[in-house]
Amino acid sequence: MQKDGISRLGSIPKDQEGAQNIHWIKQNGKDLKFEVQETIMKVYLAEPIKPNSTTTFTMDWDAVIPQQIRRSGRNNRKG
């Protein structure tokens, strides 16, 4: 959506942008290497997940909810 030829997304102040911040991820208690590229997180497993087996992932992360972006965010009249 644009207003006066400027995208609303491009006009959001930096301190009001949304974000997902991944601090660490573990598999069965072992630290894992990971990469985040935009909305995709690639995780390098410590050990393969074999058929009929289980594994436990734990992670520490936080998120910043944006003030208002289309159908998401806080105080958004579009729901």
Side-chain angles (χ1 to χ4, degrees):
M1 183 179 284
Q2 293 187 356
K3 183 177 179 182
D4 299 325
I6 299 171
S7 168
R8 282 183 30 202
L9 296 175
S11 63
I12 294 174
K14 203 70 169 157
D15 66 339
Q16 293 181 18
E17 289 180 358
Q20 300 286 327
N21 305 304
I22 312 300
H23 304 289
W24 53 260
I25 184 165
K26 296 181 181 189
Q27 178 185 14
N28 297 326
K30 297 178 185 173
D31 288 328
L32 300 178
K33 179 182 174 193
F34 65 92
E35 300 171 8
V36 177
Q37 297 175 355
E38 296 185 21
T39 59
I40 298 171
M41 180 175 168
K42 182 177 183 178
V43 177
Y44 298 88
L45 300 179
E47 54 195 64
I49 304 171
K50 296 179 181 175
N52 301 314
S53 68
T54 62
T55 195
T56 301
F57 293 101
T58 53
M59 63 188 289
D60 183 50
W61 63 280
D62 62 70
V64 178
I65 301 171
Q67 285 290 339
Q68 182 177 6
I69 302 177
R70 294 187 185 137
R71 295 173 297 210
S72 66
R74 298 177 278 156
N75 305 322
N76 188 341
R77 66 178 177 213
K78 294 182 181 181

